[in-house]
Amino acid sequence: MRLVLVGPPGAGKGTQAQFIAEHVGVPKISTGDIFRANVSQGTPLGLEAKEYMDRGDLVPDGVTIEMVRNRLAEPDAITGFLLDGFPRTVPQAEVLDDILRETADTKLDVVLELVVDDDEVIRRLSGRRTCRTCNHIWHVDFDPPKVPDVCDIDGGELFQRDDDKAETIANRLQVYAEQTAPLVAYYAGRGMLVGIDATGPVDDVTVRAIDALRPFPAGEA
Ligand code: ADP
Ligand code: AMP
């Protein structure tokens, strides 16, 4: 299955991506995770992306699209994938369609929208913590680890993302409204969008997501 998750920052895309990808049996590809890995390794891509990420702006399409094109060409992504955080602009969505057509003569099966209001998103982003080693996502109140700042899964150190500061969150929500929300209409117009209520416990949202995906069988490889 070729699947895209959309929704505002903090909607729970990363949290759900892990469970959904495992359920569907495809790799999870998160552009935010790839950028953050490049930033922490100090690669040229990371150095270029960092200034945009720190402001809460989108990394330019040219840079982002090449990164995704390379990732989708890796063997594990040939027969299916779950994209978390890409596409985030209509031009990115158009190029994704082109990449799939040119490289595999295929297309996306479905785009799943996680619907959450701004107040909930702000509560989620302000308390988000991420494991430095396994990238698992926690929340200080809604999904706390047993020991504060230590990942239950691998004992890794938890950190707060630089772009989860209040002023950056405000810009990210504005960027989402201006540049990413139009994607919802883009995919709805193509009959590819299914939206779910992404509020309530994480497990409930996962069940809703898997139910919503049931009518969308995977396309041909
Ligand atoms: P996104 O990838 O869309 O930016 P995340 O998956 O990183 O969002 O989730 C943002 C924060 O909200 C994290 O701290 C996560 O633990 C928390 N979270 C995710 N889903 C829920 C939920 N259903 N209820 C409460 N908090 C949640
Ligand atoms: P995320 O982890 O999805 O919240 O992404 C963190 C940051 O990485 C974003 O605020 C952007 O700066 C950058 N980023 C991630 N995905 C994209 C994308 N598809 N296009 C442009 N920038 C992106």
Side-chain angles (χ1 to χ4, degrees):
M1 177 177 269
R2 296 176 179 85
L3 164 67
V4 163
L5 284 188
V6 293
K13 299 182 299 297
T15 302
Q16 295 300 330
Q18 194 65 48
F19 299 123
I20 298 169
E22 271 168 32
H23 179 84
V24 177
V26 294
K28 175 194 97 147
I29 300 176
S30 158
T31 43
D33 282 353
I34 302 174
F35 280 133
R36 279 185 290 279
N38 277 276
V39 169
S40 63
Q41 289 157 18
T43 68
L45 174 66
L47 292 177
E48 185 167 3
K50 187 176 184 326
E51 58 172 304
Y52 298 96
M53 297 172 76
D54 284 349
R55 286 196 302 266
D57 288 336
L58 296 185
V59 179
D61 280 353
V63 177
T64 306
I65 287 166
E66 273 322 292
M67 182 178 88
V68 172
R69 189 190 295 278
N70 292 335
R71 178 65 186 87
L72 289 180
E74 288 178 29
D76 66 331
I78 300 297
T79 55
F81 51 76
L82 183 159
L83 281 168
D84 157 23
F86 184 95
R88 246 176 164 105
T89 63
V90 170
Q92 289 182 7
E94 290 169 344
V95 173
L96 177 60
D97 289 344
D98 292 344
I99 293 173
L100 294 178
R101 198 175 35 246
E102 287 160 15
T103 58
D105 192 21
T106 188
K107 56 189 181 57
L108 288 177
D109 295 300
V110 57
V111 176
L112 182 67
E113 181 192 8
L114 301 186
V115 181
V116 183
D117 68 29
D118 278 4
D119 288 345
E120 176 67 8
V121 151
I122 291 166
R123 281 192 288 274
R124 289 184 182 184
L125 292 178
S126 328
R128 172 160 60 187
R129 298 289 184 275
T130 308
C131 176
R132 214 174 271 293
T133 43
C134 75
N135 282 336
H136 187 85
I137 301 161
W138 300 93
H139 190 283
V140 291
D141 300 316
F142 304 143
D143 189 12
K146 291 194 186 79
V147 179
D149 296 325
V150 178
C151 181
D152 285 2
I153 296 168
D154 67 354
E157 178 201 4
L158 305 189
F159 71 98
Q160 181 168 31
R161 283 171 43 172
D162 288 340
D163 58 353
D164 282 346
K165 290 179 300 219
E167 60 279 16
T168 318
I169 289 174
N171 186 44
R172 288 163 69 207
L173 291 179
Q174 193 176 342
V175 166
Y176 180 80
E178 289 171 3
Q179 300 187 54
T180 307
L183 269 186
V184 172
Y186 175 89
Y187 285 125
R190 284 163 178 71
M192 295 165 70
L193 188 80
V194 52
I196 60 161
D197 172 10
T199 58
V202 169
D203 292 353
D204 291 3
V205 178
T206 307
V207 169
R208 269 177 235 142
I210 288 168
D211 275 354
L213 294 176
R214 235 181 280 282
F216 294 87
E220 294 301 311

